[in-house]
Amino acid sequence: MAEVKKNNPKYSPGGRTCAGCAIPLIVNNVLSQTEKPIVAGVATGCLEVTSTIYPYNAWNIPCIHNAFENVASTIAGVESAFKYRKKNGFEEKIKFVAFAGDGGAYDIGFQAISGAFERGHDFTLVVYDNEGYQNTGGQRSGATPLGADTTTTPAGKVKKGKEEQRKNLTEILVAHRSPYVAQAAIHDLEDLKKKAKKAIETKGPTALIILAPCTTIWGFPPAKTLEISKLATETNFWPLYEVENGKYIVNIKPAKEKPIKEFINQQKRFAHLKDYPEKIEELQKIVNKEWKRLLKLEEKK
């Protein structure tokens, strides 16, 4: 069985993502956390355009390509059809996973996601969050952090990059009373796999929001993807935590919290901020405030 899995993974290697891209690592480690058959949906984005280039296909499981906006609607429809077949004697147990980038989840596809969560469909949403529309050249999304230089929030004489805070999709999905929502990152694969297994096995709409550092658009060497991911957690920019039936658990608490500048100084998208220390201070205050808020939520029983 182990040999079969090795030679026939659910998602094939050798795709066309950029060198150093985090997305294949995310997909493989999520899909490998269940022995049950999986039906996947994938929204338009980096994952879709690099895994389904005709005549090639990286998916070795049933996978439905969707537009940016409708992966949650599609997987909800398939899951509903599965329930109908079960009532008529179909006995196989199948899991449903919807993949989307931040453009397809935070922005364009959020309406469909919110509806699927509200209706209680039994599926797992996996968001690979690379903080922008990166496969189309790096436009800002609702996940893009304050101060980042993007093609639609260019840093220059007038503005210093994006002027708004990033949206917190994790908390928005928690507010939908999901039984399980978690944040994960690729530098801690054991934590990611544990959360993926829990999300897939938990009945109801669940979500994994996973930081996916983008070497091409964030502007760092491909060999530093894991280092950048780790710094995101060590600076509390990307806390690793989970919310199970409303109970918060912060999985990693840095023994010595690093300043946010150690995370942003390694990325060209923030290079202009060296001339604007007040912007870095503003970003640090946001991170500190969110971290304190998270710890207080964990204290609540």
Side-chain angles (χ1 to χ4, degrees), residues 16-279:
R16 297 193 179 184
T17 51
C18 303
C21 179
I23 293 172
L25 203 58
I26 291 171
V27 176
N28 268 315
N29 280 284
V30 168
L31 294 180
S32 65
Q33 298 314 303
T34 181
E35 299 286 337
K36 297 183 177 68
I38 295 176
V39 174
V42 57
T44 295
C46 290
L47 174 58
E48 179 270 326
V49 301
T50 57
S51 65
T52 58
I53 300 175
Y54 182 81
Y56 305 106
N57 190 334
W59 300 86
N60 294 320
I61 59 174
C63 180
I64 307 166
H65 169 224
N66 298 262
F68 266 114
E69 66 271 22
N70 65 335
V71 68
S73 299
T74 300
I75 213 71
V78 176
E79 189 261 350
S80 295
F82 170 69
K83 285 180 180 174
Y84 177 80
R85 290 195 66 185
K86 281 186 71 177
K87 290 180 180 177
N88 290 277
F90 187 72
E91 295 182 350
E92 191 164 13
K93 296 179 179 178
I94 298 175
K95 294 296 180 181
F96 303 91
V97 179
F99 289 93
D102 47 289
Y106 285 69
D107 299 340
I108 305 172
F110 178 71
Q111 176 177 319
I113 291 170
S114 180
F117 270 66
E118 184 268 331
R119 293 190 300 272
H121 290 282
D122 187 11
F123 78 107
T124 296
L125 171 70
V126 178
V127 181
Y128 56 96
D129 184 351
N130 54 20
E131 301 189 332
Y133 294 82
Q134 315 302 28
N135 74 292
T136 51
Q139 295 79 29
R140 61 93 83 187
S141 76
T144 305
L146 177 81
D149 178 24
T150 76
T151 58
T152 47
T153 58
K157 293 181 179 179
V158 178
K159 297 187 177 182
K160 308 176 185 73
K162 190 186 176 196
E163 296 183 309
E164 301 83 17
Q165 293 186 37
R166 70 190 311 278
K167 192 187 295 182
N168 192 329
L169 182 64
T170 306
E171 294 301 316
I172 294 170
L173 295 177
V174 170
H176 283 67
R177 303 297 183 263
S178 164
Y180 188 75
V181 179
Q183 277 195 182
I186 57 165
H187 70 274
D188 193 337
L189 284 181
E190 290 308 310
D191 178 75
L192 189 158
K193 289 190 286 188
K194 181 185 69 175
K195 289 172 176 172
K197 183 176 180 61
K198 193 179 290 186
I200 292 172
E201 295 299 331
T202 299
K203 187 174 177 55
T206 60
L208 281 176
I209 318 298
I210 305 170
L211 187 67
C214 175
T215 177
T216 305
I217 304 298
W218 292 17
F220 60 83
K224 287 195 170 186
T225 302
L226 296 182
E227 180 182 334
I228 296 294
S229 177
K230 189 177 181 183
L231 279 171
T233 296
E234 291 176 337
T235 58
N236 294 331
F237 174 82
W238 190 261
L240 302 186
Y241 71 102
E242 56 192 334
V243 186
E244 190 168 3
N245 295 315
K247 181 176 174 52
Y248 282 74
I249 300 172
V250 180
N251 308 107
I252 301 293
K253 296 175 182 174
K256 186 177 181 181
E257 298 168 11
K258 293 183 177 179
I260 192 64
K261 63 183 180 182
E262 292 199 25
F263 172 62
I264 66 175
N265 282 353
Q266 304 229 22
Q267 304 168 49
K268 288 182 181 178
R269 62 176 177 160
F270 294 113
H272 58 287
L273 295 186
K274 68 180 186 302
D275 297 324
Y276 305 102
E278 72 280 6
K279 209 68 177 177

